[in-house]
Amino acid sequence: MIKMIKDHFNKELRELISAEEWLIVREEYMPEENLAYESLFGLANGRMGNRAAFEEGGNKKTLPANYIHGVFDKSEAFMRELANTPNWLELKMYYLREPFGIEDNQELNDFISVLDMKKGILFRSYTVITESGRKTKIEKMKFLSRANSYLGAVRTYITPLNYGGLFEFENRIDGTVTNFADFPRFRVKHLDTLEINDLEAEGAFLKSETRDFGMEIGTAAVVDVKNLAGEDILKSKQFRAFGEIACEFFDLELQKKETVVIDKLAAVCTERDQEDVYQACLKNIKEFKQQGLDSELAEHIKEYQKMWSKADLILEGDQKMQQAIRYNIFQLMSTPNPDDNQTNVGAKLLHGEEYGGHAFWDTELFVLPFFNWTFPEIAKNLVEYRYNLLDKAKENARENGYRGAKYPWESADTGDEECPAWTIEPDGTCYRCYVADYEHHVTAAVTLGMANYVKVTGDQRFMKEKGIHILLETAKFWVSRFSYNQEKKRYEILKVTGPDEWHEPVDNNAYTNHLAKWNIDFALEKLKEYRKAEPALYQKLCQQYGIDQKLIKCWQQLSEKIYTVADQGLIEQFEGYFELECETINEWDQNKMPLMPESLKGKDKNEICILKQADVVMLMFLMDDKFDLETQQTNFDYYEKRTLHRSSLSPSIHCMMGLRVGDDQRAYDYLERSAYVDLDNNQGNTREGIHAASAGGSWQSVVLGYCGMKIDPDGVLSFEPKLLAKWSRVKYSISWQGEILDIEVFEDDLKVSRRSSTDGQKIRYRVNGRERIIN
Amino acid sequence: MIKMIKDHFNKELRELISAEEWLIVREEYMPEENLAYESLFGLANGRMGNRAAFEEGGNKKTLPANYIHGVFDKSEAFMRELANTPNWLELKMYYLREPFGIEDNQELNDFISVLDMKKGILFRSYTVITESGRKTKIEKMKFLSRANSYLGAVRTYITPLNYGGLFEFENRIDGTVTNFADFPRFRVKHLDTLEINDLEAEGAFLKSETRDFGMEIGTAAVVDVKNLAGEDILKSKQFRAFGEIACEFFDLELQKKETVVIDKLAAVCTERDQEDVYQACLKNIKEFKQQGLDSELAEHIKEYQKMWSKADLILEGDQKMQQAIRYNIFQLMSTPNPDDNQTNVGAKLLHGEEYGGHAFWDTELFVLPFFNWTFPEIAKNLVEYRYNLLDKAKENARENGYRGAKYPWESADTGDEECPAWTIEPDGTCYRCYVADYEHHVTAAVTLGMANYVKVTGDQRFMKEKGIHILLETAKFWVSRFSYNQEKKRYEILKVTGPDEWHEPVDNNAYTNHLAKWNIDFALEKLKEYRKAEPALYQKLCQQYGIDQKLIKCWQQLSEKIYTVADQGLIEQFEGYFELECETINEWDQNKMPLMPESLKGKDKNEICILKQADVVMLMFLMDDKFDLETQQTNFDYYEKRTLHRSSLSPSIHCMMGLRVGDDQRAYDYLERSAYVDLDNNQGNTREGIHAASAGGSWQSVVLGYCGMKIDPDGVLSFEPKLLAKWSRVKYSISWQGEILDIEVFEDDLKVSRRSSTDGQKIRYRVNGRERIIN
């Protein structure tokens, strides 16, 4: 396989391509797969994400996009969304003015596209034969620099195989891009083009701004054109503006079998972090040009090396799962910006337009754990993002008639609720969307995520300075969210939606009530702790929040009277759930995923027992210490038969819960479902972006599920591995107490070693309850 | 055939389509023919010309263009050219967001496209089957209103044949258009988009301006959506701007086999004749909407009826030639604006981008005669165009070191020389173009055209007020252009290029010297005439031009000493021509067109005897009275063997000269070459526009050639018909002495009748020298 892969490329690229285990390969060109591969092979470098659209243009099945963290806009869309920014990729190729490349009417042979996850490079190669019989070999390599995240580059080798002559090219920056380009009803242009120029004769420059907030974006691109001997063979070059397209036309002569190497170097800067986007582009481009693509690439590869040294997961004995887990890690770790605590991770990462780049509870419960354990500095940004938007969450609570802080169901840059009250359906009907009205559990998820961050990283300073405010404000929200049922003498949450969105709204959703109670209890616990251990801080908090013993008492009493449905035994998802029409699942599709029972098809989902996704099971998963194993088993057995997993958030939870309750085979089915969701496009929507929650859930499934890693109540790192028989070894790394630990899990053993050679503190850990120490 | 054609269309369209003899039919869809058909089926209404690009978009082989008389721009182009203005055609069709129409990946059946020349309507019909098997019938009809030339419209019938549901559409105005869109090296965007709005909720509006002169252009488009019962079935509509694209999104429901009729009504106004283009568009659109497409269409058809009643030519016994001549007349008469004497007729009409919409000598010697005889009011505009630019021609003479007026080789709106001194070749090399430097005969052509206009129309008032100034200024130019050869005691024109551009520059080109002499002699003749008949005018002219007997004497002496090479016998094209390496043509291609003799291939064209196009033969043709028949025969025989006709101006001249000297069979070959140039795309460049000179030359060939119509020296209309044996009857009309005469030519007879029933003056005419009278 690796020989076959490398055979497609020239010596220089062959030497660059990593070992096979690091590669995802598209071996065949089928246009209908383009959009999914554009997401799948999308690159991100912490600042921007760039879909793997072909630089050649020329085919219609394409949705080129370049997203930048924090660049949101609403305009005529029904929600504020990550704006598609100018396409800096395009390099159009012509011979005698006839375009060649990936054209609908040209023959493509020996196509291959390779994502090198180790280095964060996308390779591509093919031979194109035009209608006139001219045969050209194209080889390409693209990266978004991780060393300087303002930069991206594409190197293109062009070799005419059976002809020679004059070649023409266009280096373009396309400002005409829209969101939902192939969806006429929803298509929106989020940017106005302000200025196009030749970047002081360096190349091409385009300045745009978002239409609502007027945030400026500068996009610059230049080309460096050489033959294989490194000689400049550019013949002529001229700059042109075509409306919103900046274009450098250039030409050169090639002999038969002579190769030209065109490096397209790009810089993208925004007003988010640059005073003058033009000057910033100019400076970046000049430096990039001076040092050259190879030098930047070398720095870029070094950065990926560092990242992998913290986050790689080796899974021996299961090649496909190994590849999938690496893929999920690759996309997860490539996405957030380590230097930015104002942005988060969208539900589709930076790889597609679905969900507008908004952060959901997916971040805290699925994605954040990965970062807590591997990149705590990124995890900190993610929790600080919520802290930074605490005031907006307070506003959001007030506006909805509550107190404290209510986090939005969908969050972008401002912290406003981005989940629209009304949406437009593909058929043009207006749809009243109640998610933001009823689905309140995200606020507990934010708190829980923050709490877990502190638990894993030990970042008590964050807790004291920022986390405690999130905690108290969210507790205040939940206190105000409950209503007292005089008759039944209990506090209830009425009209609410739990994780299972097919039942909306319901009364007393067990998941929500439990998490709300936990949120209040955790606040009380922290206050108690700080009263003793941090009296100054405690005093300050009391003053700020008007906390006194009376209030604490009041919260305690409320918490005690919260109706949590049940604590043990079979838990009713919400009041009345057990009365719904029911039949358990009895058919599965070819991917072993459950199908709606025949008798319930077409019925109102509110009226039947079938769940969209884990709800009580999710509760069990998160509140491990609240439910005994028998209860967990009972509920898993019951709800597993009623869950369709129509959310990509569901399978990984069922995997981990399956492992916990001893359902190993189904666990692996769920892991496959989760880990392969984009590689296999098993939900058919990879074109819309990469499933962030699945990626995080898959990592959790292996590390927290199969390897059984957790933190014991006394704060000691602990493992109860339940490796699959075919997995001969799992190796991964974590950041623990300021050090990197390498964990190796075997069928019958587990090894933890510290990376640093300097003497650290002794580290205690437990394997299946037996304590060990690393010196 | 007509049944087959009509079978493609619904009842309403069937009833609209004219008789078969008026139709040009494209029966098959082959994408590679799109560009040629876009020119061929281009419509023009005197104000604008609109190529027959598909409104559906979706295919790549297309060059949509909307040209407006007088809207020129240079920007980065190497010459000022007719600017492509916003594309108002687009109506994109979607079902479940999937586009359908003429898409590269969809099956097209029963395609037909029909140009109805009688009514100036373009029809189209086809069935499209998408990849998912949805089958839809599309029928279309488009016209540019001749009744109100600011308006254009497209009616579209859409019938889903095997499905139903929600359809979505986009009514778009595309301001991203460029010239040379598929020619990256030459691609230029001539317009900036200034403003996009919803036209006060009426539809879509886009305002642009030319980049050099800032001339504003308003483009507006609205849709009217009904079912066949005339009921409004629009569901929703919303306006969007996508950068330089104005867009109305709208949707509607269709049952299986239900038909929707979408009328797209457009208005295009410019600052050339409107104070405020927005208000003008709004007013036009409102009125158009109110009265509806059908009412405007009825007016439009009436206008074409009037035009055909003046210009139709019936040619019985030769169906293909009949169709071709009608086609040429259709495009010629549709192009110029009867209300505008500031614009001319471009070498490619308003149908393509080649030659930048510039007027050449083609206008005066090929196109103008048609208008002189059929639409004298348009002919007048064309000669007044030259008069209006006389000052610029004087400047042009001064700048080149001459006196009087030197008309530019290529003329646009300003009268500046638009023929560039330097051009860029397709391979990027700069090419020094000497045409404007040396090819001076256009100035004589302008004068000759004007003189012929006056001769045919009898418009002596024009002659006295305007024509005389053209005549005197051009004569002054020629006087200054000659140099005196002391040794040979003669006036010569050195370093000049004649019509045959392959010999450049030469000394004493017979054609140029003769026409220059004619120009001076005609000036002298007119002065002499006016001195007697118009003493007041004569006095004024003498004062204005400093004319006295001394000067007249001087011009006379110069004229007498002009070296015209020869007046009889074989005339050397220029000094030294007979010494060039020579071989006569001995091979012809499948179209009976001559090929370069093998021994001369690849040689410098300046060094060999082969001509690009008629030169001495052209001289014979124009200066009939200067050369006896034997001389004409001698020269025709000689040069015909040496002419490759690589200009579309050449064949019609050879046709008429062939007839004159008795070479009937070759004459018809040449007529075919000329008349079919675009219908058969026999030069392969129809995609670039319609050959105006060929169209005019073909009309002349039939009327002045085969029907032998001319004006005898005594001013009497005269005929010496030489009909082809297979032509049983030729019938055409002319405008003569303020009346319309119908001419019918039979093999052995000729009939002239007056259209008007009122008593006019008696009209004398001659047939083969024998005089007749119409009462």
Side-chain angles (χ1 to χ4, degrees), chain A residues 58-61 63 76-77 94 97-98 102-105 131 166-170 172 176 178 182-189 191 211 235-236 238-244 247 249 251 253 353 424 426-429 687-688, chain B residues 58-61 63 76-77 94 97-98 102-105 131 166-170 172 176 178 182-189 191 211 235-236 238-244 247 249 251 253 353 424 426-429 687-688:
Chain A
N59 78 91
K60 280 197 283 182
K61 305 234 168 167
L63 284 175
E76 300 90 356
Y94 304 89
R97 73 191 259 211
E98 190 193 18
I102 305 203
E103 298 282 328
D104 294 335
N105 59 341
E131 281 172 347
L166 183 72
F167 288 75
E168 297 166 340
F169 300 90
E170 287 180 306
R172 288 156 63 110
T176 70
T178 66
D182 68 345
F183 216 143
R185 184 183 299 279
F186 299 132
R187 192 188 309 136
V188 175
K189 189 165 195 303
L191 304 183
R211 288 169 58 206
K235 213 176 135 196
S236 78
Q238 52 184 281
F239 177 78
R240 289 278 169 84
F242 300 116
E244 297 189 291
C247 179
F249 173 90
D251 61 1
E253 299 270 354
E353 62 196 352
I424 300 159
D427 69 356
T429 53
R687 55 160 276 163
E688 290 151 16
Chain B
N59 78 90
K60 282 197 283 182
K61 304 234 167 167
L63 283 176
E76 300 90 355
Y94 304 89
R97 74 191 257 212
E98 189 192 18
I102 304 203
E103 297 281 329
D104 294 334
N105 58 341
E131 282 172 347
L166 182 72
F167 289 75
E168 298 167 338
F169 301 90
E170 287 179 308
R172 287 156 62 110
T176 70
T178 65
D182 68 345
F183 217 142
R185 184 183 299 277
F186 299 131
R187 192 188 308 136
V188 176
K189 189 164 196 306
L191 304 183
R211 288 170 58 209
K235 213 177 135 197
S236 78
Q238 53 183 281
F239 177 78
R240 290 277 171 85
F242 300 114
E244 297 189 291
C247 179
F249 173 90
D251 60 2
E253 299 271 354
E353 62 196 353
I424 299 160
D427 69 356
T429 53
R687 56 160 276 163
E688 290 152 16

Side-chain angles (χ1 to χ4, degrees), chain B residues 402-413:
Chain B
Y402 303 114
R403 301 181 59 211
K406 175 183 180 297
Y407 277 94
W409 179 247
E410 300 187 28
S411 186
D413 50 347

Side-chain angles (χ1 to χ4, degrees), chain A residues 12 326 394 414 537 621 732:
Chain A
E12 206 172 275
R326 271 219 177 108
K394 287 160 73 178
T414 63
L537 173 60
F621 171 70
Y732 65 93

